[in-house]
């Protein structure tokens, strides 16, 4: 988990507020929702600061947490935490690419939400 925390801490600087908002609106129009393990409030407008807060929030959840126990298919609470934080990081990196106008990132979203 130390490696994962290091990846969270080393996330690149944010896009501008205008880029964040425009991308959020574009994703909302597409009804885009990443496949996250646990709920993350207002994913579209997630920032590095909120990512770090989410990391620490999840890591502090007790094993008996109803939030962790509600995940189907993964019985180990520590594995739920690791899986959620890994998936969240990957989805955030995609989101960051969308905000910066990365064509590959938009192609991924378009393939998932428009081409099917």
């Amino acid at each position: 988990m130390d490696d994962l925390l290091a990846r969270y801490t080393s996330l690149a600087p944010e896009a501008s507020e205008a880029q964040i908002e425009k991308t959020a609106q574009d994703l909302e129009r597409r009804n885009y929702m990443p496949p996250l393990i646990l709920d993350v409030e207002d994913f579209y407008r997630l920032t590095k600061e909120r990512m770090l807060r989410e990391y620490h929030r999840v890591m502090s959840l007790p094993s008996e947490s109803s939030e962790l126990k509600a995940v189907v298919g993964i019985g180990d609470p520590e594995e739920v935490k690791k899986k959620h934080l890994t998936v969240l990081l990957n989805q955030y990196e995609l989101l960051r690419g969308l905000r910066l106008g990365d064509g590959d990132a938009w192609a991924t979203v378009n393939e998932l939400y428009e081409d099917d």
Side-chain angles (χ1 to χ4, degrees), residues 30-61:
R30 285 179 171 81
N31 292 316
Y32 172 79
M33 185 47 62
L36 300 175
I37 308 298
L38 302 176
D39 289 334
V40 176
E41 185 179 334
D42 201 10
F43 173 81
Y44 305 125
R45 291 167 183 86
L46 203 54
T47 62
K48 178 181 177 177
E49 177 185 328
R50 286 188 46 222
M51 284 285 290
L52 288 167
R53 282 199 315 255
E54 176 68 1
Y55 178 91
H56 293 294
R57 181 191 78 79
V58 169
M59 290 305 294
S60 69
L61 289 172

PDB file of all heavy atoms in Angstrom, residues 30-61:
ATOM      1  N   ARG A  30     -22.846  12.483 -21.352  1.00  0.00           N
ATOM      2  CA  ARG A  30     -22.664  11.108 -21.839  1.00  0.00           C
ATOM      3  C   ARG A  30     -23.147  10.064 -20.822  1.00  0.00           C
ATOM      4  O   ARG A  30     -23.133   8.880 -21.106  1.00  0.00           O
ATOM      5  CB  ARG A  30     -21.184  10.842 -22.116  1.00  0.00           C
ATOM      6  CG  ARG A  30     -20.660  11.480 -23.364  1.00  0.00           C
ATOM      7  CD  ARG A  30     -19.171  11.164 -23.514  1.00  0.00           C
ATOM      8  NE  ARG A  30     -18.639  11.564 -24.790  1.00  0.00           N
ATOM      9  CZ  ARG A  30     -18.264  12.781 -25.124  1.00  0.00           C
ATOM     10  NH1 ARG A  30     -18.386  13.765 -24.245  1.00  0.00           N
ATOM     11  NH2 ARG A  30     -17.780  13.043 -26.305  1.00  0.00           N
ATOM     12  N   ASN A  31     -23.538  10.513 -19.646  1.00  0.00           N
ATOM     13  CA  ASN A  31     -23.896   9.604 -18.551  1.00  0.00           C
ATOM     14  C   ASN A  31     -22.744   8.671 -18.207  1.00  0.00           C
ATOM     15  O   ASN A  31     -22.937   7.507 -17.868  1.00  0.00           O
ATOM     16  CB  ASN A  31     -25.156   8.801 -18.889  1.00  0.00           C
ATOM     17  CG  ASN A  31     -26.374   9.669 -18.942  1.00  0.00           C
ATOM     18  OD1 ASN A  31     -26.574  10.517 -18.086  1.00  0.00           O
ATOM     19  ND2 ASN A  31     -27.183   9.489 -19.966  1.00  0.00           N
ATOM     20  N   TYR A  32     -21.540   9.198 -18.299  1.00  0.00           N
ATOM     21  CA  TYR A  32     -20.334   8.426 -18.010  1.00  0.00           C
ATOM     22  C   TYR A  32     -20.216   8.182 -16.516  1.00  0.00           C
ATOM     23  O   TYR A  32     -20.374   9.096 -15.719  1.00  0.00           O
ATOM     24  CB  TYR A  32     -19.100   9.200 -18.498  1.00  0.00           C
ATOM     25  CG  TYR A  32     -17.780   8.588 -18.087  1.00  0.00           C
ATOM     26  CD1 TYR A  32     -17.269   7.498 -18.763  1.00  0.00           C
ATOM     27  CD2 TYR A  32     -17.055   9.102 -17.024  1.00  0.00           C
ATOM     28  CE1 TYR A  32     -16.056   6.927 -18.394  1.00  0.00           C
ATOM     29  CE2 TYR A  32     -15.841   8.544 -16.644  1.00  0.00           C
ATOM     30  CZ  TYR A  32     -15.356   7.454 -17.330  1.00  0.00           C
ATOM     31  OH  TYR A  32     -14.155   6.900 -16.953  1.00  0.00           O
ATOM     32  N   MET A  33     -19.962   6.940 -16.154  1.00  0.00           N
ATOM     33  CA  MET A  33     -19.698   6.624 -14.761  1.00  0.00           C
ATOM     34  C   MET A  33     -18.647   5.517 -14.731  1.00  0.00           C
ATOM     35  O   MET A  33     -18.882   4.438 -15.261  1.00  0.00           O
ATOM     36  CB  MET A  33     -20.958   6.179 -14.042  1.00  0.00           C
ATOM     37  CG  MET A  33     -20.758   5.951 -12.553  1.00  0.00           C
ATOM     38  SD  MET A  33     -19.861   7.230 -11.616  1.00  0.00           S
ATOM     39  CE  MET A  33     -20.890   8.648 -11.807  1.00  0.00           C
ATOM     40  N   PRO A  34     -17.511   5.802 -14.139  1.00  0.00           N
ATOM     41  CA  PRO A  34     -16.454   4.791 -14.090  1.00  0.00           C
ATOM     42  C   PRO A  34     -16.846   3.624 -13.183  1.00  0.00           C
ATOM     43  O   PRO A  34     -17.639   3.802 -12.253  1.00  0.00           O
ATOM     44  CB  PRO A  34     -15.261   5.556 -13.517  1.00  0.00           C
ATOM     45  CG  PRO A  34     -15.876   6.635 -12.702  1.00  0.00           C
ATOM     46  CD  PRO A  34     -17.140   7.022 -13.435  1.00  0.00           C
ATOM     47  N   PRO A  35     -16.287   2.461 -13.433  1.00  0.00           N
ATOM     48  CA  PRO A  35     -16.615   1.284 -12.619  1.00  0.00           C
ATOM     49  C   PRO A  35     -15.834   1.259 -11.304  1.00  0.00           C
ATOM     50  O   PRO A  35     -14.818   0.592 -11.175  1.00  0.00           O
ATOM     51  CB  PRO A  35     -16.188   0.121 -13.526  1.00  0.00           C
ATOM     52  CG  PRO A  35     -15.046   0.697 -14.319  1.00  0.00           C
ATOM     53  CD  PRO A  35     -15.396   2.146 -14.536  1.00  0.00           C
ATOM     54  N   LEU A  36     -16.288   2.039 -10.344  1.00  0.00           N
ATOM     55  CA  LEU A  36     -15.603   2.119  -9.053  1.00  0.00           C
ATOM     56  C   LEU A  36     -16.143   1.052  -8.096  1.00  0.00           C
ATOM     57  O   LEU A  36     -17.286   0.614  -8.220  1.00  0.00           O
ATOM     58  CB  LEU A  36     -15.782   3.511  -8.444  1.00  0.00           C
ATOM     59  CG  LEU A  36     -15.246   4.664  -9.291  1.00  0.00           C
ATOM     60  CD1 LEU A  36     -15.588   6.006  -8.645  1.00  0.00           C
ATOM     61  CD2 LEU A  36     -13.745   4.531  -9.494  1.00  0.00           C
ATOM     62  N   ILE A  37     -15.332   0.660  -7.130  1.00  0.00           N
ATOM     63  CA  ILE A  37     -15.714  -0.356  -6.155  1.00  0.00           C
ATOM     64  C   ILE A  37     -16.572   0.254  -5.042  1.00  0.00           C
ATOM     65  O   ILE A  37     -17.582  -0.304  -4.642  1.00  0.00           O
ATOM     66  CB  ILE A  37     -14.456  -1.021  -5.537  1.00  0.00           C
ATOM     67  CG1 ILE A  37     -13.511  -1.533  -6.610  1.00  0.00           C
ATOM     68  CG2 ILE A  37     -14.856  -2.116  -4.549  1.00  0.00           C
ATOM     69  CD1 ILE A  37     -14.046  -2.601  -7.515  1.00  0.00           C
ATOM     70  N   LEU A  38     -16.173   1.415  -4.544  1.00  0.00           N
ATOM     71  CA  LEU A  38     -16.921   2.145  -3.518  1.00  0.00           C
ATOM     72  C   LEU A  38     -17.400   3.465  -4.124  1.00  0.00           C
ATOM     73  O   LEU A  38     -16.840   3.946  -5.104  1.00  0.00           O
ATOM     74  CB  LEU A  38     -16.025   2.434  -2.305  1.00  0.00           C
ATOM     75  CG  LEU A  38     -15.389   1.229  -1.610  1.00  0.00           C
ATOM     76  CD1 LEU A  38     -14.450   1.696  -0.500  1.00  0.00           C
ATOM     77  CD2 LEU A  38     -16.430   0.273  -1.078  1.00  0.00           C
ATOM     78  N   ASP A  39     -18.401   4.048  -3.529  1.00  0.00           N
ATOM     79  CA  ASP A  39     -18.911   5.336  -4.015  1.00  0.00           C
ATOM     80  C   ASP A  39     -17.900   6.451  -3.746  1.00  0.00           C
ATOM     81  O   ASP A  39     -17.294   6.495  -2.669  1.00  0.00           O
ATOM     82  CB  ASP A  39     -20.231   5.699  -3.334  1.00  0.00           C
ATOM     83  CG  ASP A  39     -21.380   4.826  -3.806  1.00  0.00           C
ATOM     84  OD1 ASP A  39     -21.320   4.312  -4.942  1.00  0.00           O
ATOM     85  OD2 ASP A  39     -22.339   4.659  -3.040  1.00  0.00           O
ATOM     86  N   VAL A  40     -17.769   7.346  -4.725  1.00  0.00           N
ATOM     87  CA  VAL A  40     -16.937   8.542  -4.581  1.00  0.00           C
ATOM     88  C   VAL A  40     -17.804   9.724  -4.999  1.00  0.00           C
ATOM     89  O   VAL A  40     -18.267   9.790  -6.139  1.00  0.00           O
ATOM     90  CB  VAL A  40     -15.673   8.466  -5.472  1.00  0.00           C
ATOM     91  CG1 VAL A  40     -14.885   9.762  -5.389  1.00  0.00           C
ATOM     92  CG2 VAL A  40     -14.813   7.273  -5.071  1.00  0.00           C
ATOM     93  N   GLU A  41     -18.032  10.617  -4.060  1.00  0.00           N
ATOM     94  CA  GLU A  41     -18.889  11.765  -4.315  1.00  0.00           C
ATOM     95  C   GLU A  41     -18.329  12.647  -5.426  1.00  0.00           C
ATOM     96  O   GLU A  41     -17.146  12.990  -5.431  1.00  0.00           O
ATOM     97  CB  GLU A  41     -19.038  12.588  -3.031  1.00  0.00           C
ATOM     98  CG  GLU A  41     -20.011  13.737  -3.169  1.00  0.00           C
ATOM     99  CD  GLU A  41     -20.159  14.516  -1.870  1.00  0.00           C
ATOM    100  OE1 GLU A  41     -19.944  13.956  -0.792  1.00  0.00           O
ATOM    101  OE2 GLU A  41     -20.488  15.706  -1.969  1.00  0.00           O
ATOM    102  N   ASP A  42     -19.193  13.007  -6.381  1.00  0.00           N
ATOM    103  CA  ASP A  42     -18.888  13.946  -7.470  1.00  0.00           C
ATOM    104  C   ASP A  42     -17.562  13.602  -8.169  1.00  0.00           C
ATOM    105  O   ASP A  42     -16.658  14.416  -8.278  1.00  0.00           O
ATOM    106  CB  ASP A  42     -18.864  15.381  -6.942  1.00  0.00           C
ATOM    107  CG  ASP A  42     -19.065  16.403  -8.056  1.00  0.00           C
ATOM    108  OD1 ASP A  42     -19.411  16.026  -9.191  1.00  0.00           O
ATOM    109  OD2 ASP A  42     -18.850  17.599  -7.786  1.00  0.00           O
ATOM    110  N   PHE A  43     -17.479  12.371  -8.649  1.00  0.00           N
ATOM    111  CA  PHE A  43     -16.269  11.887  -9.304  1.00  0.00           C
ATOM    112  C   PHE A  43     -15.791  12.834 -10.402  1.00  0.00           C
ATOM    113  O   PHE A  43     -14.597  13.066 -10.556  1.00  0.00           O
ATOM    114  CB  PHE A  43     -16.496  10.486  -9.888  1.00  0.00           C
ATOM    115  CG  PHE A  43     -15.340  10.019 -10.720  1.00  0.00           C
ATOM    116  CD1 PHE A  43     -14.219   9.485 -10.107  1.00  0.00           C
ATOM    117  CD2 PHE A  43     -15.356  10.145 -12.098  1.00  0.00           C
ATOM    118  CE1 PHE A  43     -13.126   9.068 -10.866  1.00  0.00           C
ATOM    119  CE2 PHE A  43     -14.276   9.728 -12.861  1.00  0.00           C
ATOM    120  CZ  PHE A  43     -13.158   9.192 -12.240  1.00  0.00           C
ATOM    121  N   TYR A  44     -16.710  13.397 -11.173  1.00  0.00           N
ATOM    122  CA  TYR A  44     -16.345  14.245 -12.314  1.00  0.00           C
ATOM    123  C   TYR A  44     -15.465  15.434 -11.919  1.00  0.00           C
ATOM    124  O   TYR A  44     -14.672  15.906 -12.711  1.00  0.00           O
ATOM    125  CB  TYR A  44     -17.581  14.812 -13.007  1.00  0.00           C
ATOM    126  CG  TYR A  44     -18.595  13.793 -13.452  1.00  0.00           C
ATOM    127  CD1 TYR A  44     -19.914  13.895 -13.043  1.00  0.00           C
ATOM    128  CD2 TYR A  44     -18.254  12.738 -14.295  1.00  0.00           C
ATOM    129  CE1 TYR A  44     -20.866  12.984 -13.468  1.00  0.00           C
ATOM    130  CE2 TYR A  44     -19.200  11.823 -14.716  1.00  0.00           C
ATOM    131  CZ  TYR A  44     -20.507  11.957 -14.299  1.00  0.00           C
ATOM    132  OH  TYR A  44     -21.446  11.055 -14.711  1.00  0.00           O
ATOM    133  N   ARG A  45     -15.625  15.913 -10.710  1.00  0.00           N
ATOM    134  CA  ARG A  45     -14.890  17.099 -10.267  1.00  0.00           C
ATOM    135  C   ARG A  45     -13.809  16.757  -9.229  1.00  0.00           C
ATOM    136  O   ARG A  45     -13.341  17.621  -8.501  1.00  0.00           O
ATOM    137  CB  ARG A  45     -15.873  18.124  -9.715  1.00  0.00           C
ATOM    138  CG  ARG A  45     -16.747  18.697 -10.825  1.00  0.00           C
ATOM    139  CD  ARG A  45     -17.940  19.471 -10.313  1.00  0.00           C
ATOM    140  NE  ARG A  45     -18.757  19.932 -11.420  1.00  0.00           N
ATOM    141  CZ  ARG A  45     -19.709  19.209 -12.003  1.00  0.00           C
ATOM    142  NH1 ARG A  45     -19.992  17.986 -11.586  1.00  0.00           N
ATOM    143  NH2 ARG A  45     -20.398  19.700 -13.017  1.00  0.00           N
ATOM    144  N   LEU A  46     -13.425  15.518  -9.209  1.00  0.00           N
ATOM    145  CA  LEU A  46     -12.397  15.041  -8.288  1.00  0.00           C
ATOM    146  C   LEU A  46     -11.079  15.767  -8.540  1.00  0.00           C
ATOM    147  O   LEU A  46     -10.711  16.014  -9.685  1.00  0.00           O
ATOM    148  CB  LEU A  46     -12.208  13.540  -8.512  1.00  0.00           C
ATOM    149  CG  LEU A  46     -11.635  12.698  -7.408  1.00  0.00           C
ATOM    150  CD1 LEU A  46     -12.399  12.849  -6.111  1.00  0.00           C
ATOM    151  CD2 LEU A  46     -11.626  11.242  -7.837  1.00  0.00           C
ATOM    152  N   THR A  47     -10.387  16.107  -7.455  1.00  0.00           N
ATOM    153  CA  THR A  47      -9.085  16.775  -7.546  1.00  0.00           C
ATOM    154  C   THR A  47      -8.037  15.922  -6.831  1.00  0.00           C
ATOM    155  O   THR A  47      -8.376  14.977  -6.118  1.00  0.00           O
ATOM    156  CB  THR A  47      -9.126  18.150  -6.866  1.00  0.00           C
ATOM    157  OG1 THR A  47      -9.432  17.954  -5.475  1.00  0.00           O
ATOM    158  CG2 THR A  47     -10.139  19.084  -7.516  1.00  0.00           C
ATOM    159  N   LYS A  48      -6.791  16.278  -7.010  1.00  0.00           N
ATOM    160  CA  LYS A  48      -5.720  15.560  -6.331  1.00  0.00           C
ATOM    161  C   LYS A  48      -5.927  15.607  -4.816  1.00  0.00           C
ATOM    162  O   LYS A  48      -5.773  14.598  -4.134  1.00  0.00           O
ATOM    163  CB  LYS A  48      -4.358  16.155  -6.695  1.00  0.00           C
ATOM    164  CG  LYS A  48      -3.208  15.491  -5.983  1.00  0.00           C
ATOM    165  CD  LYS A  48      -1.870  16.105  -6.348  1.00  0.00           C
ATOM    166  CE  LYS A  48      -0.744  15.456  -5.557  1.00  0.00           C
ATOM    167  NZ  LYS A  48       0.569  15.981  -5.926  1.00  0.00           N
ATOM    168  N   GLU A  49      -6.292  16.746  -4.301  1.00  0.00           N
ATOM    169  CA  GLU A  49      -6.519  16.895  -2.858  1.00  0.00           C
ATOM    170  C   GLU A  49      -7.609  15.940  -2.382  1.00  0.00           C
ATOM    171  O   GLU A  49      -7.460  15.266  -1.365  1.00  0.00           O
ATOM    172  CB  GLU A  49      -6.907  18.340  -2.533  1.00  0.00           C
ATOM    173  CG  GLU A  49      -7.221  18.575  -1.072  1.00  0.00           C
ATOM    174  CD  GLU A  49      -7.717  19.987  -0.802  1.00  0.00           C
ATOM    175  OE1 GLU A  49      -7.285  20.919  -1.502  1.00  0.00           O
ATOM    176  OE2 GLU A  49      -8.542  20.133   0.114  1.00  0.00           O
ATOM    177  N   ARG A  50      -8.704  15.865  -3.122  1.00  0.00           N
ATOM    178  CA  ARG A  50      -9.787  14.954  -2.746  1.00  0.00           C
ATOM    179  C   ARG A  50      -9.379  13.495  -2.926  1.00  0.00           C
ATOM    180  O   ARG A  50      -9.829  12.629  -2.180  1.00  0.00           O
ATOM    181  CB  ARG A  50     -11.046  15.268  -3.547  1.00  0.00           C
ATOM    182  CG  ARG A  50     -11.731  16.539  -3.052  1.00  0.00           C
ATOM    183  CD  ARG A  50     -13.070  16.797  -3.684  1.00  0.00           C
ATOM    184  NE  ARG A  50     -13.914  15.624  -3.719  1.00  0.00           N
ATOM    185  CZ  ARG A  50     -14.663  15.289  -4.780  1.00  0.00           C
ATOM    186  NH1 ARG A  50     -14.683  16.039  -5.864  1.00  0.00           N
ATOM    187  NH2 ARG A  50     -15.412  14.202  -4.751  1.00  0.00           N
ATOM    188  N   MET A  51      -8.523  13.221  -3.903  1.00  0.00           N
ATOM    189  CA  MET A  51      -8.013  11.855  -4.088  1.00  0.00           C
ATOM    190  C   MET A  51      -7.237  11.429  -2.841  1.00  0.00           C
ATOM    191  O   MET A  51      -7.411  10.319  -2.349  1.00  0.00           O
ATOM    192  CB  MET A  51      -7.109  11.782  -5.313  1.00  0.00           C
ATOM    193  CG  MET A  51      -7.842  11.795  -6.641  1.00  0.00           C
ATOM    194  SD  MET A  51      -8.644  10.229  -6.991  1.00  0.00           S
ATOM    195  CE  MET A  51      -7.236   9.174  -7.307  1.00  0.00           C
ATOM    196  N   LEU A  52      -6.395  12.309  -2.346  1.00  0.00           N
ATOM    197  CA  LEU A  52      -5.616  11.992  -1.150  1.00  0.00           C
ATOM    198  C   LEU A  52      -6.521  11.804   0.069  1.00  0.00           C
ATOM    199  O   LEU A  52      -6.304  10.909   0.884  1.00  0.00           O
ATOM    200  CB  LEU A  52      -4.566  13.066  -0.889  1.00  0.00           C
ATOM    201  CG  LEU A  52      -3.393  13.060  -1.871  1.00  0.00           C
ATOM    202  CD1 LEU A  52      -2.569  14.324  -1.737  1.00  0.00           C
ATOM    203  CD2 LEU A  52      -2.538  11.816  -1.669  1.00  0.00           C
ATOM    204  N   ARG A  53      -7.553  12.632   0.174  1.00  0.00           N
ATOM    205  CA  ARG A  53      -8.512  12.471   1.277  1.00  0.00           C
ATOM    206  C   ARG A  53      -9.233  11.129   1.177  1.00  0.00           C
ATOM    207  O   ARG A  53      -9.449  10.449   2.180  1.00  0.00           O
ATOM    208  CB  ARG A  53      -9.521  13.623   1.292  1.00  0.00           C
ATOM    209  CG  ARG A  53      -8.964  14.895   1.894  1.00  0.00           C
ATOM    210  CD  ARG A  53     -10.029  15.881   2.329  1.00  0.00           C
ATOM    211  NE  ARG A  53     -11.111  16.089   1.393  1.00  0.00           N
ATOM    212  CZ  ARG A  53     -11.257  17.163   0.619  1.00  0.00           C
ATOM    213  NH1 ARG A  53     -10.377  18.147   0.646  1.00  0.00           N
ATOM    214  NH2 ARG A  53     -12.281  17.278  -0.183  1.00  0.00           N
ATOM    215  N   GLU A  54      -9.598  10.753  -0.056  1.00  0.00           N
ATOM    216  CA  GLU A  54     -10.278   9.472  -0.252  1.00  0.00           C
ATOM    217  C   GLU A  54      -9.347   8.316   0.111  1.00  0.00           C
ATOM    218  O   GLU A  54      -9.769   7.347   0.739  1.00  0.00           O
ATOM    219  CB  GLU A  54     -10.768   9.337  -1.700  1.00  0.00           C
ATOM    220  CG  GLU A  54     -11.403   8.001  -2.038  1.00  0.00           C
ATOM    221  CD  GLU A  54     -12.731   7.719  -1.353  1.00  0.00           C
ATOM    222  OE1 GLU A  54     -13.249   8.561  -0.585  1.00  0.00           O
ATOM    223  OE2 GLU A  54     -13.274   6.614  -1.580  1.00  0.00           O
ATOM    224  N   TYR A  55      -8.088   8.425  -0.256  1.00  0.00           N
ATOM    225  CA  TYR A  55      -7.117   7.389   0.100  1.00  0.00           C
ATOM    226  C   TYR A  55      -7.095   7.199   1.625  1.00  0.00           C
ATOM    227  O   TYR A  55      -7.239   6.084   2.116  1.00  0.00           O
ATOM    228  CB  TYR A  55      -5.717   7.754  -0.403  1.00  0.00           C
ATOM    229  CG  TYR A  55      -4.682   6.729  -0.007  1.00  0.00           C
ATOM    230  CD1 TYR A  55      -4.386   5.667  -0.843  1.00  0.00           C
ATOM    231  CD2 TYR A  55      -4.032   6.800   1.220  1.00  0.00           C
ATOM    232  CE1 TYR A  55      -3.461   4.697  -0.466  1.00  0.00           C
ATOM    233  CE2 TYR A  55      -3.110   5.845   1.610  1.00  0.00           C
ATOM    234  CZ  TYR A  55      -2.833   4.796   0.760  1.00  0.00           C
ATOM    235  OH  TYR A  55      -1.930   3.832   1.145  1.00  0.00           O
ATOM    236  N   HIS A  56      -6.950   8.283   2.335  1.00  0.00           N
ATOM    237  CA  HIS A  56      -6.861   8.207   3.795  1.00  0.00           C
ATOM    238  C   HIS A  56      -8.195   7.781   4.426  1.00  0.00           C
ATOM    239  O   HIS A  56      -8.196   7.037   5.415  1.00  0.00           O
ATOM    240  CB  HIS A  56      -6.358   9.524   4.382  1.00  0.00           C
ATOM    241  CG  HIS A  56      -4.930   9.797   4.011  1.00  0.00           C
ATOM    242  ND1 HIS A  56      -3.880   9.027   4.450  1.00  0.00           N
ATOM    243  CD2 HIS A  56      -4.390  10.736   3.198  1.00  0.00           C
ATOM    244  CE1 HIS A  56      -2.751   9.474   3.940  1.00  0.00           C
ATOM    245  NE2 HIS A  56      -3.040  10.513   3.167  1.00  0.00           N
ATOM    246  N   ARG A  57      -9.304   8.209   3.841  1.00  0.00           N
ATOM    247  CA  ARG A  57     -10.619   7.803   4.346  1.00  0.00           C
ATOM    248  C   ARG A  57     -10.775   6.289   4.233  1.00  0.00           C
ATOM    249  O   ARG A  57     -11.137   5.616   5.207  1.00  0.00           O
ATOM    250  CB  ARG A  57     -11.741   8.492   3.560  1.00  0.00           C
ATOM    251  CG  ARG A  57     -13.143   8.146   4.050  1.00  0.00           C
ATOM    252  CD  ARG A  57     -14.218   8.626   3.087  1.00  0.00           C
ATOM    253  NE  ARG A  57     -14.352   7.757   1.933  1.00  0.00           N
ATOM    254  CZ  ARG A  57     -15.009   6.594   1.931  1.00  0.00           C
ATOM    255  NH1 ARG A  57     -15.577   6.140   3.030  1.00  0.00           N
ATOM    256  NH2 ARG A  57     -15.101   5.877   0.819  1.00  0.00           N
ATOM    257  N   VAL A  58     -10.475   5.755   3.074  1.00  0.00           N
ATOM    258  CA  VAL A  58     -10.634   4.322   2.847  1.00  0.00           C
ATOM    259  C   VAL A  58      -9.679   3.526   3.723  1.00  0.00           C
ATOM    260  O   VAL A  58     -10.067   2.518   4.325  1.00  0.00           O
ATOM    261  CB  VAL A  58     -10.445   3.985   1.345  1.00  0.00           C
ATOM    262  CG1 VAL A  58     -10.337   2.487   1.122  1.00  0.00           C
ATOM    263  CG2 VAL A  58     -11.584   4.578   0.530  1.00  0.00           C
ATOM    264  N   MET A  59      -8.445   3.983   3.819  1.00  0.00           N
ATOM    265  CA  MET A  59      -7.467   3.245   4.618  1.00  0.00           C
ATOM    266  C   MET A  59      -7.843   3.237   6.103  1.00  0.00           C
ATOM    267  O   MET A  59      -7.470   2.318   6.822  1.00  0.00           O
ATOM    268  CB  MET A  59      -6.065   3.824   4.430  1.00  0.00           C
ATOM    269  CG  MET A  59      -5.491   3.563   3.045  1.00  0.00           C
ATOM    270  SD  MET A  59      -5.478   1.814   2.578  1.00  0.00           S
ATOM    271  CE  MET A  59      -4.300   1.177   3.772  1.00  0.00           C
ATOM    272  N   SER A  60      -8.592   4.236   6.545  1.00  0.00           N
ATOM    273  CA  SER A  60      -8.973   4.284   7.962  1.00  0.00           C
ATOM    274  C   SER A  60     -10.261   3.521   8.261  1.00  0.00           C
ATOM    275  O   SER A  60     -10.635   3.402   9.430  1.00  0.00           O
ATOM    276  CB  SER A  60      -9.101   5.738   8.421  1.00  0.00           C
ATOM    277  OG  SER A  60     -10.227   6.344   7.815  1.00  0.00           O
ATOM    278  N   LEU A  61     -10.928   3.004   7.238  1.00  0.00           N
ATOM    279  CA  LEU A  61     -12.154   2.245   7.483  1.00  0.00           C
ATOM    280  C   LEU A  61     -11.831   0.971   8.271  1.00  0.00           C
ATOM    281  O   LEU A  61     -10.892   0.246   7.923  1.00  0.00           O
ATOM    282  CB  LEU A  61     -12.828   1.858   6.159  1.00  0.00           C
ATOM    283  CG  LEU A  61     -13.485   2.969   5.357  1.00  0.00           C
ATOM    284  CD1 LEU A  61     -13.923   2.447   3.990  1.00  0.00           C
ATOM    285  CD2 LEU A  61     -14.667   3.559   6.108  1.00  0.00           C
TER     286      LEU A  61
END
